[in-house]
Amino acid sequence: MARIRRAGKLILTGIAVAAVTVVAAGLYFFQPWKLWQDETVVESLPSPAATLPAEPASPGESPVAPTSPLTVAAGKFISHEHTTTGVVKIVRLADGTHTLRLENLDTSNGPDLHVWLTDAPVKEGRGGWGVFDDGKYVSLGKLKGNKGNQNYVLPADAELSDYTSVSVWCARFGVSFGAAELTQV
């Protein structure tokens, strides 16, 4: 009888250890507390002092060098896995570099969120959640915060005409929290 009780205790202990391990792994993987934690980022648009080499504005006109940032593409976020609002802009700075700017971003926080510049179409509804890793994309880095205004430097070798959208991408679950179609301005 004592052996049966000991065996029963060992089984219960094993079940308890397994349950604690599963719960701990689930908490680490899903990080549900982030749904209630907001991280607000407030960055100004960078404005380098250098200017572009002069270019004609159109054939026959005299060269013009932009001295302030110029928005070359923009779009509004739509929601996918999580409610997401805000504006995305691709801005050409006075030195010729490009920055992707998120303005008034408001989305859920989550594990392993990234900002992706992609060639995927922006689709409403559940059918649009997972399309952004199907084609060409450039990860601009981890999302700095789930709210606010933030900037991401675009790689100099990124051919902007190849990319038509931006996604707040959850790498952990392979889904878009929200995306914006880019329109040339």
Side-chain angles (χ1 to χ4, degrees):
M1 193 54 104
R3 277 190 197 168
I4 294 174
R5 275 187 249 170
R6 263 187 265 149
K9 284 182 180 180
L10 285 175
I11 291 171
L12 288 175
T13 301
I15 290 171
V17 167
V20 167
T21 301
V22 166
V23 167
L27 287 172
Y28 172 77
F29 191 70
F30 288 98
Q31 299 178 0
W33 57 87
K34 286 195 171 188
L35 291 173
W36 295 280
Q37 294 177 335
D38 288 329
E39 190 167 342
T40 301
V41 174
V42 181
E43 291 182 334
S44 299
L45 184 63
S47 53
T51 59
L52 287 171
E55 299 176 6
S58 63
E61 288 187 16
S62 41
V64 175
T67 57
S68 61
L70 176 67
T71 300
V72 295
K76 286 186 175 185
F77 277 104
I78 65 163
S79 300
H80 281 144
E81 171 68 20
H82 292 268
T83 301
T84 302
T85 59
V87 173
V88 61
K89 295 178 180 178
I90 294 182
V91 179
R92 183 175 169 187
L93 301 177
D95 67 357
T97 62
H98 289 87
T99 294
L100 185 130
R101 180 158 174 81
L102 305 179
E103 292 183 347
N104 301 313
L105 176 67
D106 189 356
T107 191
S108 297
N109 204 343
D112 210 12
L113 295 179
H114 295 260
V115 177
W116 280 11
L117 182 63
T118 81
D119 67 350
V122 175
K123 299 178 185 176
E124 295 273 350
R126 197 171 181 129
W129 290 13
V131 301
F132 298 98
D133 61 349
D134 293 345
K136 190 174 185 179
Y137 64 88
V138 174
S139 177
L140 302 178
K142 287 197 172 248
L143 185 69
K144 297 174 184 178
N146 64 306
K147 295 185 179 298
N149 302 325
Q150 45 204 278
N151 305 307
Y152 298 86
V153 176
L154 296 181
D157 62 347
E159 185 60 46
L160 296 181
S161 62
D162 291 347
Y163 301 99
T164 58
S165 62
V166 173
S167 174
V168 174
W169 183 257
C170 180
R172 171 115 357 125
F173 295 104
V175 296
S176 172
F177 272 34
E181 184 174 342
L182 293 170
T183 303
Q184 301 298 316
V185 177

